[in-house]
């Protein structure tokens, strides 16, 4: 309890002051929150992959989307489907999350290439047609330098990440790795929308 009767021994023009210090528990909370703040900051904002609110949100979104796979049914890894989904903004975003979760360690955060080739230029090593992206993602390439994802990703995820990879073409991200392989003909045009589609 604070002592409300203890007056400080000064008086300014007759104005006097009680000595009511902040309670000890309050001061300790204050000190403790300051001591805790660098830990919090480093954990959530220090740049570690997967911890920022944005990353956590993306993961939650991807979880939610998996539930919505029920609505789009089983996607076929063919050219028509990949091109169609590479033009659906919401689903490209889902493909992007799959890419950010699984592929950036080798292909770079924006597909600019690291160990793996640059996916944002016009040159490809194994890809001739757009559906080859899904084949390479499914089965891998280069004696496992590019891993096979068929046992690790849902077939729809393979189609959606392929659609995202297809959408990266021509972005020529700054600081990207030099071209691998040869230049290939453009992807086919997007087919007209068959009907109203479910979106996440
Ligand atoms: C362990 C590193 C690694 C990971 C993870 C990885 N890749 Fe690759 N990827 C490679 C390498 C290396 C190559 C090139 C192989 C070669 O040159 O023989 C490659 C090639 C490719 C190609 C063919 C590019 C071309 O020019 O023909 C595509 C498409 C691709 N990866 C997509 C993906 C996707 C999508 C993911 C995530 C699901 C992924 N990769 C994850 C290393 C990786």
């Amino acid at each position: 309890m604070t002592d409300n009767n203890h007056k400080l021994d000064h008086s300014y023009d007759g104005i006097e002051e009680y000595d009511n210090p902040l309670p000890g528990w309050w001061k300790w909370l204050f000190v403790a929150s300051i001591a805790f703040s660098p830990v919090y900051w480093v954990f959530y904002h220090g740049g570690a992959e997967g911890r920022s609110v944005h990353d956590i949100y993306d993961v939650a979104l991807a979880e939610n989307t998996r539930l919505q796979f029920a609505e789009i049914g089983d996607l076929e890894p063919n050219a028509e489907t990949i091109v169609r989904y590479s033009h659906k903004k919401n689903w490209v975003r889902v493909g992007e999350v799959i890419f950010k979760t699984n592929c950036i360690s080798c292909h770079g955060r924006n597909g600019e290439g690291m160990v793996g080739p640059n996916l944002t230029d016009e040159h490809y090593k194994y890809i001739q047609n757009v559906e080859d992206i899904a084949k390479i993602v499914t089965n891998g390439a280069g004696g496992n330098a590019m891993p096979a994802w068929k046992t690790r990703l849902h077939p729809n995820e393979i189609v959606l990440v392929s659609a995202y990879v297809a959408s990266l073409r021509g972005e020529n991200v700054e600081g990207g790795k030099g071209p691998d392989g040869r230049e290939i003909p453009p992807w086919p045009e997007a087919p007209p929308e068959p009907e109203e589609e479910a979106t996440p």
Side-chain angles (χ1 to χ4, degrees), residues 81-89 92 162-164 166-167 187 190:
T81 311
I82 294 171
V83 170
R84 185 145 50 88
Y85 276 83
S86 74
H87 290 280
K88 290 177 189 284
K89 242 173 73 195
V92 167
S162 300
Y164 173 69
S167 79
W187 305 141

Side-chain angles (χ1 to χ4, degrees), residues 99 103 119 124 133 137 160-169 187:
F99 188 85
C103 321
L119 299 171
Y124 293 86
I133 301 176
V137 174
L160 293 172
V161 79
S162 300
Y164 173 69
V165 169
S167 79
L168 290 177
R169 179 175 180 179
W187 305 141

Side-chain angles (χ1 to χ4, degrees), residues 98-99 101-107 115-119 121 123-128 132-134 136-137 141-147 149 152-153 158 161-162 165 177 180-182:
I98 300 164
F99 188 85
T101 315
N102 301 291
C103 321
I104 58 175
S105 54
C106 297
H107 289 282
V115 184
N118 188 336
L119 299 171
D121 57 14
H123 288 71
Y124 293 86
K125 205 168 161 183
Y126 296 103
I127 313 297
Q128 180 66 31
D132 297 336
I133 301 176
I136 295 293
V137 174
N144 228 23
M146 162 65 188
W149 295 91
R152 283 179 266 187
L153 293 176
I158 290 182
V161 79
S162 300
V165 169
K177 206 175 153 187
D180 274 294
R182 68 223 171 306

Side-chain angles (χ1 to χ4, degrees), residues 7-178:
K7 276 191 197 157
L8 294 173
D9 57 1
H10 55 232
S11 154
Y12 302 106
D13 296 335
I15 298 171
E16 291 178 285
E17 217 185 335
Y18 283 122
D19 180 17
N20 288 336
L22 287 163
W25 62 264
W26 194 99
K27 277 191 232 167
W28 279 113
L29 263 187
F30 182 62
V31 170
S33 60
I34 289 172
F36 175 68
S37 64
V39 179
Y40 178 94
W41 192 89
V42 168
F43 191 89
Y44 286 107
H45 304 279
E49 204 61 53
R51 287 204 200 128
S52 72
V53 280
H54 295 286
D55 290 351
I56 292 169
Y57 173 77
D58 284 345
V59 169
L61 194 71
E63 287 291 327
N64 183 39
T65 304
R66 241 165 253 150
L67 298 177
Q68 307 208 3
F69 279 174
E71 287 176 31
I72 54 174
D74 291 332
L75 300 180
E76 288 298 321
N78 56 29
E80 198 232 306
T81 311
I82 294 171
V83 170
R84 185 145 50 88
Y85 276 83
S86 74
H87 290 280
K88 290 177 189 284
K89 242 173 73 195
N90 288 326
W91 288 108
V92 167
R93 201 169 136 69
V94 175
E96 181 179 359
V97 172
I98 300 164
F99 188 85
K100 296 244 150 100
T101 315
N102 301 291
C103 321
I104 58 175
S105 54
C106 297
H107 289 282
R109 197 162 170 82
N110 301 304
E112 70 275 16
M114 286 163 72
V115 184
N118 188 336
L119 299 171
T120 69
D121 57 14
E122 297 287 341
H123 288 71
Y124 293 86
K125 205 168 161 183
Y126 296 103
I127 313 297
Q128 180 66 31
N129 305 304
V130 69
E131 65 271 27
D132 297 336
I133 301 176
K135 283 184 197 148
I136 295 293
V137 174
T138 304
N139 298 315
N144 228 23
M146 162 65 188
W149 295 91
K150 58 173 173 259
T151 55
R152 283 179 266 187
L153 293 176
H154 186 284
N156 281 359
E157 289 181 304
I158 290 182
V159 171
L160 293 172
V161 79
S162 300
Y164 173 69
V165 169
S167 79
L168 290 177
R169 179 175 180 179
E171 289 208 341
N172 292 308
V173 172
E174 218 174 299
K177 206 175 153 187

